[in-house]
Amino acid sequence: NGTRTHSWLLTPNQGSFYLLQAGHNPVVEVSPVSISNGLAWNQDNTLMYYIDTATSQVDVFDYNLENATIGE
């Protein structure tokens, strides 16, 4: 059985989404966030979709595949 956290049991916007790369310190890429629940990319990997369950929101960011970085 999986564990499911109900969005009404948490205070929203208390987390951060980090970029992790070998040999580097973690970098905050998106903040604030609530429940990170998914990432997806468009077909040519130029857009990244970030899903936050608690807010029922999908944010879209420019994405650089070569550097694994996101824009505004």
Side-chain angles (χ1 to χ4, degrees), residues 9-47:
L9 297 177
L10 64 92
T11 304
N13 299 320
Q14 298 298 304
S16 297
F17 175 75
Y18 289 85
L19 169 64
L20 302 175
Q21 293 180 313
H24 295 85
N25 289 328
V27 175
V28 174
E29 289 288 331
V30 182
S31 189
V33 300
S34 297
I35 300 175
S36 301
N37 193 30
L39 295 175
W41 287 263
N42 66 338
Q43 192 169 8
D44 62 358
N45 293 311
T46 58
L47 297 174

